């Protein structure tokens, strides 16, 4: 995270959520990056996934909430 201590619990939660939701909609992803940061009293999560196609398609998502787990969901 950017200025945020990402503990093992949040890391496990993030990996499980990504695995569940990405495989539900997309059959081939070569890499996913999630960045946790703070904006005042909110947590912001930015997720970027590379579909691994020759067209260079990238998917992005963002969440923001006072609760870091809710921001990720």
């Amino acid at each position: 995270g950017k200025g945020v201590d990402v503990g093992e619990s949040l890391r496990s939660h993030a990996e499980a959520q990504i695995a569940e939701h990405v495989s539900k909609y997309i059959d081939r992803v070569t890499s996913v990056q999630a960045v946790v940061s703070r904006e005042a009293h909110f947590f912001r999560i930015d997720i970027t996934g590379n579909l691994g196609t020759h067209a260079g398609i990238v998917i992005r998502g963002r969440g923001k909430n006072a609760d870091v787990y809710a921001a990720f969901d």
Side-chain angles (χ1 to χ4, degrees):
K2 289 185 175 180
V4 177
D5 180 26
V6 179
E8 188 58 38
S9 178
L10 178 59
R11 185 180 307 274
S12 295
H13 177 77
E15 288 173 356
Q17 290 289 73
I18 289 170
E20 176 185 345
H21 295 294
V22 168
S23 66
K24 184 176 182 178
Y25 298 105
I26 303 167
D27 61 350
R28 186 173 128 187
V29 175
T30 58
S31 66
V32 175
Q33 178 183 19
V35 177
V36 181
S37 57
R38 292 284 295 196
E39 287 186 349
H41 61 278
F42 290 104
F43 288 96
R44 183 173 123 182
I45 313 291
D46 291 293
I47 301 171
T48 304
N50 185 337
L51 295 184
T53 64
H54 294 293
I57 297 173
V58 174
I59 55 173
R60 292 194 171 112
R62 175 178 288 168
K64 188 174 178 181
N65 198 296
D67 177 73
V68 69
Y69 291 90
F72 199 89
D73 291 342

